Structure formats: structure tokens, C-alpha cells
Amino acid sequence: MPDAPQQRRNSLLAVVGAVAVAAVVVVLAIWLTGGDDDEPDAVAVPATDGPATEGSQGSGSDPALRSGEPVEVLPSPMGGQEAIDALGERIEQVAEINNTTVDELRDLLLRDATLRVGPSGRLMYEDTMTPPPMQE
């Protein structure tokens, strides 16, 4: 029969092991659910840093928005007036998804040439930087 210090040491090792396994599971879960494979070259960013304004969030008219299911609002990423025209009335849904108002979204799309609306309705910025030439 193990003595008391050995038994405490074994119990401590079991607790430490369980905590380590739980931490690994949490990290893997976050990593596996954090990406959007529909837009591999894009980074989703919020349209505004402030709190939602009245009317920018709500239940929406689209059942998919209320249920949290992915919504496809565009066939490919678009920006500027092209995005505004292609979205039509769905611009309200895209504004809601991105926690902004329709007017703010229109203004951002027209002012920032790198801002895109992805197929899922999430806003992203197009990276226009070209890498420096490689030296041989």
C-alpha cells in the first residue's frame, strides 16, 4: 500500500494531467472552428469598433441569420459600387452581420478600395501588397 506522500503525488499528477488534456482540447476546438474555408485568402474584420447602433442588430428577416447558419450573399468577394449593386436589398443583412448600419457600410465600401464583402457577407480587406523581389 503506497504511503500518504506517494498517494498525494499520484493524485496531483492525475489532476495536472487532466488539466493539460482539457487545455489541449479547448485549443484544438478553437483552432478547428475559427477559420472560414470559403474565403481562404481573406481576413474577416469588424466594420466598426464601437457598439452596435440601434437598428444595426436584430432578428433580421432572413431565417438563416436568426439560426446562425452560414448565409451566401454573393458568388465571390466584391467591393465598391459593384458590391452595393450586387447585394441589392441584402445589404441590410450584410450590415447586420457586420454590426454596422447600411449607410456606414455603403460609405466604407465606396471610400476603401481594399474592403470586400465575402460570399458569407463578412467584410474583409484585400491584401494588395506585393512581396519584395527575391535576391539570388
Side-chain angles (χ1 to χ4, degrees):
M1 179 167 201
D3 59 348
Q6 180 67 28
Q7 193 172 14
R8 275 188 236 131
R9 189 175 316 129
N10 289 344
S11 296
L12 180 63
L13 287 174
V15 169
V16 168
V19 169
V21 168
V24 168
V25 168
V26 168
V27 168
L28 283 174
I30 292 170
W31 179 64
L32 291 173
T33 60
D36 185 359
D37 293 336
D38 292 341
E39 301 157 8
D41 297 330
V43 177
V45 295
T48 61
D49 293 332
T53 57
E54 187 175 325
S56 69
Q57 272 196 320
S59 61
S61 58
D62 190 338
L65 283 177
R66 288 192 302 268
S67 68
E69 295 176 22
V71 177
E72 186 166 311
V73 296
L74 294 173
S76 63
M78 294 182 192
Q81 188 64 48
E82 177 187 32
I84 294 168
D85 294 342
L87 288 169
E89 291 183 15
R90 296 201 85 180
I91 196 166
E92 295 173 9
Q93 295 170 338
V94 172
E96 183 176 334
I97 289 169
N98 292 284
N99 196 28
T100 187
T101 66
V102 173
D103 290 337
E104 289 172 329
L105 178 59
R106 279 191 185 115
D107 184 55
L108 284 169
L109 285 167
L110 293 173
R111 279 190 303 121
D112 191 341
T114 63
L115 182 63
R116 300 282 181 263
V117 178
S120 67
R122 295 281 179 197
L123 297 180
M124 61 183 141
Y125 286 92
E126 181 179 60
D127 183 2
T128 57
M129 184 176 142
T130 56
M134 294 186 47
Q135 297 190 10
E136 295 179 34

